[in-house]
Amino acid sequence: MSTDDTPPKVWTWDKENGGQFASINRPTAGARFDRDLPRGDHRFQLYSLATPNGQKVTILFEELLEAGHDAEYDAWLIRIGDGDQFGSGFVAVNPNSKIPALMDHGTDPTRRVFESGAILLYLAETFGAFLPKDPAARTEALNWLFWQMGSAPFLGGGFGHFYAYAPTRIEYAIDRYTMETKRQLDVLDQHLATNRFMAGDEYSIADMAIWPWYGQLVAGKLYGDAATFLDAARYGHVRRWQDEIAARPAVQRGVMVNKISGQPSEQLHERHSASDFETMTQDKRAAQTGA
């Protein structure tokens, strides 16, 4: 950029632009190194990290298991801050190098599924669960699923980036994305004023998609003190919905999978069986190794 902040006629990438993820950001796609992905014993192999997008899928897997479906899965940790998503094995599953990515080894040929919304829809249709059978309710669930996929980039890549991660605080950018985030919260609050869940009375993949972003935001779990900054307490219907979903045991398990921050007792870096929640959290592993 020139000194007067006028963009050049043709942008070129000749330096890192700063910020938390500057070391991994490039304007190019594709693998940067060779690395095969691990594979466990189960049909479904998930490669992810417990960001809101990653939590959507692990919440659905745990909800499927809680409901009695044969949905066992292996969840492998992809450390995006270290650039794991640019390994050749991961790029073969998701050429966009974003988590989560899923392999279904129960099909012939094996199927790859990428984009969190696509994974939620794929699993819901595979198991016939958490997507309403009634055509009107199904349409409403899909309306809100795709609303989340289109809206959350303004929350995460817009508000979250400029409020919490950018190397400098830019008032215009923060104001612009704060306004949009509060508008989206108001959309949700008005809808949830007359609906228990996003598709009405039936809990669905729409709730699982939206909750890790907007529910966790109003609960104060995203971007430091962002809930205070956004005056999140005013969105009472979103808070009611957030609290109800947060109390679900499958949700509580799902947010732990592939988690690498917070209390060690809440971190399950990899998940290969239901017993891992009792024996393989980071506090248990530390006790086992004496670390």
Side-chain angles (χ1 to χ4, degrees):
M1 302 290 281
S2 60
T3 56
D4 63 355
D5 291 332
T6 300
K9 187 172 183 179
V10 177
W11 184 87
T12 58
W13 182 67
D14 55 7
K15 64 181 183 303
E16 293 181 357
N17 62 358
Q20 183 170 335
F21 302 104
S23 63
I24 60 173
N25 286 337
R26 297 180 188 175
T28 56
R32 300 178 186 175
F33 55 88
D34 290 327
R35 180 184 296 168
D36 293 334
L37 289 175
R39 178 176 171 181
D41 296 331
H42 300 303
R43 170 182 174 179
F44 297 105
Q45 300 293 301
L46 178 67
Y47 305 95
S48 194
L49 179 69
T51 66
N53 283 336
Q55 289 174 342
K56 299 175 191 176
V57 178
T58 50
I59 287 171
L60 176 54
F61 268 122
E62 293 301 323
E63 291 282 13
L64 288 166
L65 292 168
E66 182 96 355
H69 295 280
D70 184 15
E72 272 295 348
Y73 68 106
D74 292 281
W76 303 93
L77 177 61
I78 300 296
R79 295 180 181 269
I80 62 175
D82 295 343
D84 291 351
Q85 69 274 31
F86 300 111
S88 57
F90 189 89
V91 172
V93 182
N94 185 355
N96 196 39
S97 293
K98 302 290 184 180
I99 62 92
L102 179 72
M103 291 296 289
D104 180 356
H105 293 280
T107 62
D108 187 16
T110 298
R111 292 176 186 159
R112 71 179 188 182
V113 194
F114 61 90
E115 289 295 325
S116 57
I119 297 173
L120 293 180
L121 185 56
Y122 181 82
L123 292 174
E125 291 184 331
T126 296
F127 291 98
F130 298 109
L131 187 59
K133 302 296 190 296
D134 174 73
R138 174 189 170 90
T139 300
E140 189 70 357
L142 293 178
N143 287 341
W144 287 107
L145 172 63
F146 286 97
W147 174 87
Q148 186 278 321
M149 295 296 293
S151 296
F154 291 96
L155 170 56
F159 173 77
H161 175 77
F162 287 106
Y163 182 77
Y165 300 136
T168 58
R169 296 184 68 83
I170 303 171
E171 182 179 8
Y172 173 81
I174 293 172
D175 287 347
R176 171 66 181 86
Y177 287 109
T178 297
M179 183 178 295
E180 176 61 14
T181 298
K182 288 180 70 66
R183 189 193 68 80
Q184 292 176 7
L185 286 170
D186 198 43
V187 169
L188 289 175
D189 203 57
Q190 291 187 38
H191 178 71
L192 290 167
T194 56
N195 293 274
R196 180 181 177 189
F197 296 114
M198 296 309 303
D201 292 331
E202 187 173 346
Y203 177 60
S204 73
I205 56 173
D207 299 283
M208 299 178 208
I210 295 169
W211 182 87
W213 282 103
Y214 297 88
Q216 295 285 65
L217 179 67
V218 300
K221 302 293 181 65
L222 293 182
Y223 311 129
D225 63 350
T228 300
F229 181 75
L230 294 167
D231 191 18
R234 69 178 296 174
Y235 304 105
H237 302 295
V238 180
R239 289 301 306 266
R240 182 271 307 162
W241 168 83
Q242 138 70 27
D243 291 342
E244 181 172 357
I245 293 176
R248 297 177 69 91
V251 172
Q252 294 170 7
R253 294 193 300 273
V255 298
M256 295 172 60
V257 179
N258 299 140
K259 188 173 183 181
I260 58 173
S261 62
Q263 295 296 321
S265 61
E266 299 174 350
Q267 297 180 36
L268 185 64
H269 288 190
E270 294 181 3
R271 189 262 188 222
H272 304 290
S273 72
S275 63
D276 289 348
F277 292 100
E278 301 298 326
T279 62
M280 296 300 290
T281 52
Q282 286 307 105
D283 59 327
K284 302 288 186 5
R285 294 184 63 176
Q288 293 166 8
T289 61

